[in-house]
Amino acid sequence: MEPAEALRILDEELENGRALAAAAADLAALDRAQTAALGRKSRYSQVQKSLGGLAPDDRRSVGKRANEVREELDAALDARRAELQAVAESGLLAADRVDVSLPGRRRPLGSLHPLTITEYAIVDVFTRMGFRVAEGPEIETDWYNFTALNIPPDHPARSMKDSLFVDVEGHPDLLLRTETSAVQIHTMEEQQPPVYIVSPGRVYRRETLDATHSAVFHQIEGLAVDEGITFADLKGTLEAFAKALFGPDQRVRFSPSYFPFVEPGAQVDVSCFKCAGTGCRTCGNGWIEMLGAGMVHPAVLENVGYDPERYTGFAFGMGLERVAMIRYGIPDIRLFFEGDVRFLEQFVSAG
């Protein structure tokens, strides 16, 4: 290639490269323009490859001009790149811009689960009466779950058909607790009277899931042990609780019942929330069973080292799901465990 032709090509490529850079509409087009102007197959590269065949003086002059063209093209390309990057960033900012004049969007509100709401309400009633909350393990021994509560070895509750035993080598007496009454034994072993506690928690029984039964459910047990406690104290406590939770017009009914760890024992019913005690499809006869209760059996007090001649007490236990069903008029226990948002969001304002 002659020196004059090489210089002409360099001048043409300088103008062509500037034009390509100016015409590039985006960064991808600018990259193509740079390849066309300075790439290995460009006319500029052909001039550089021909420098070796030129005379020394011509090589210096053409090489100098090639360097000048390269610098000018790099400057033009860099300037255009900066412009395109600024445009791209402006577009991103425009896309992310928030119109503060538009009304805000409310985030959907979560809610406590209806069982949690009910538990908090029950605990609040009893703590205002002077009870404290006590908790215990969900895996218990036969002693705490049965023996200490005056449940004899031949009692049906000990059957594998009714209880869920845990298969731990060397510990055949471990099971998932069937009621939170075991917490009462732990508490009485750890302190002397007076004792006033409520113990909420999960319990487990070998049940088939249907509208009113579940293998995993929740209970709240209560215990009061002191000098001079009578059945009248139990009745007054539970009547005050029912009226505080369900309303001042709620009626409470006590009827004899049997539980191994209390004597005498009672079943406590409340008047139906739908028919006010006149009888309907929900209750049948105007009453809904709420809980079991009674005076602590002397044998239970002896098992924890209390003197039954000096101390008396009462205990009660209720299923949390049953209370929630009464409180909110829910017909099926399975609704609590299905996780249906349409069901749960009804309780946003209930807490």
Side-chain angles (χ1 to χ4, degrees):
M1 182 180 295
E2 295 297 326
E5 183 183 1
L7 292 172
R8 177 181 60 78
I9 291 174
L10 289 173
D11 290 339
E12 290 176 356
E13 287 305 298
L14 175 59
E15 295 303 321
N16 182 54
R18 286 172 173 170
L20 290 174
D26 54 37
L27 292 173
L30 185 63
D31 290 337
R32 292 193 295 270
Q34 182 173 5
T35 301
L38 299 172
R40 290 183 300 171
K41 297 182 180 180
S42 66
R43 296 177 70 197
Y44 175 84
S45 293
Q46 293 175 4
V47 171
Q48 284 190 314
K49 293 175 183 178
S50 69
L51 290 177
L54 298 177
D57 290 341
D58 293 334
R59 188 186 306 129
R60 279 193 296 271
S61 62
V62 174
K64 178 181 178 183
R65 182 57 180 158
N67 289 336
E68 293 172 350
V69 169
R70 179 62 183 250
E71 291 176 358
E72 292 186 37
L73 285 176
D74 283 341
L77 290 166
D78 289 343
R80 183 58 178 163
R81 190 178 303 278
E83 293 175 0
L84 293 174
Q85 286 176 341
V87 171
E89 291 174 359
S90 298
L92 291 174
L93 290 174
D96 293 340
R97 184 177 58 189
V98 176
D99 186 350
V100 295
S101 65
L102 292 174
R105 295 179 181 177
R106 289 186 176 273
R107 292 184 178 273
L109 294 177
S111 169
L112 293 175
H113 193 279
L115 293 180
T116 303
I117 296 171
T118 304
E119 177 186 327
Y120 287 175
I122 294 172
V123 169
D124 181 63
V125 171
F126 284 109
T127 52
R128 283 189 278 119
M129 292 183 186
F131 289 75
R132 67 176 180 86
V133 177
E135 297 180 343
E138 294 184 10
I139 297 179
E140 285 288 5
T141 64
D142 179 277
W143 165 259
Y144 288 103
N145 198 80
F146 294 130
T147 305
L149 289 168
N150 199 38
I151 299 176
D154 58 348
H155 194 280
R158 290 177 178 252
S159 170
M160 290 288 289
K161 296 180 181 180
D162 297 291
S163 305
L164 297 169
F165 283 81
V166 181
D167 186 9
V168 178
E169 186 175 355
H171 298 278
D173 62 338
L174 293 180
L175 73 157
L176 297 176
R177 65 184 181 187
T178 58
E179 51 202 350
T180 56
S181 301
V183 178
Q184 302 177 13
I185 305 300
H186 285 287
T187 302
M188 288 190 288
E189 285 183 342
E190 294 168 358
Q191 71 173 81
Q192 289 297 308
V195 175
Y196 293 89
I197 63 165
V198 287
S199 54
R202 279 191 299 264
V203 296
Y204 307 84
R205 294 181 189 174
R206 193 180 292 273
E207 298 274 8
T208 300
L209 183 62
D210 58 28
T212 57
H213 297 85
S214 174
V216 181
F217 56 101
H218 300 76
Q219 282 188 341
I220 292 186
E221 301 274 347
L223 173 70
V225 178
D226 206 342
E227 295 183 20
I229 289 182
T230 67
F231 199 90
D233 297 312
L234 170 61
K235 291 184 64 176
T237 299
L238 294 182
E239 287 179 358
F241 159 70
K243 293 180 183 297
L245 192 68
F246 300 113
D249 297 329
Q250 192 69 45
R251 291 181 296 140
V252 180
R253 181 178 73 175
F254 290 76
S255 56
S257 187
Y258 169 75
F259 304 99
F261 35 85
V262 293
E263 178 59 38
Q267 176 180 303
V268 182
D269 305 327
V270 294
S271 54
C272 179
F273 58 90
K274 279 192 173 183
C275 65
T278 60
C280 65
R281 292 179 59 184
T282 300
C283 62
N285 61 357
W287 297 93
I288 298 176
E289 179 185 350
M290 183 176 66
L291 55 86
M295 300 301 292
V296 178
H297 198 290
V300 174
L301 297 177
E302 290 177 350
N303 287 336
V304 295
Y306 285 6
D307 182 359
E309 297 295 328
R310 178 180 177 185
Y311 298 110
T312 55
F314 63 75
F316 56 85
M318 66 192 82
L320 194 58
E321 284 80 0
R322 178 181 294 276
V323 176
M325 292 170 75
I326 297 172
R327 191 182 188 202
Y328 297 119
I330 297 171
D332 195 320
I333 194 174
R334 290 170 291 194
L335 292 170
F336 292 123
F337 309 111
E338 291 175 347
D340 190 328
V341 175
R342 295 170 299 177
F343 170 74
L344 297 176
E345 66 186 3
Q346 299 178 63
F347 301 92
V348 169
S349 61

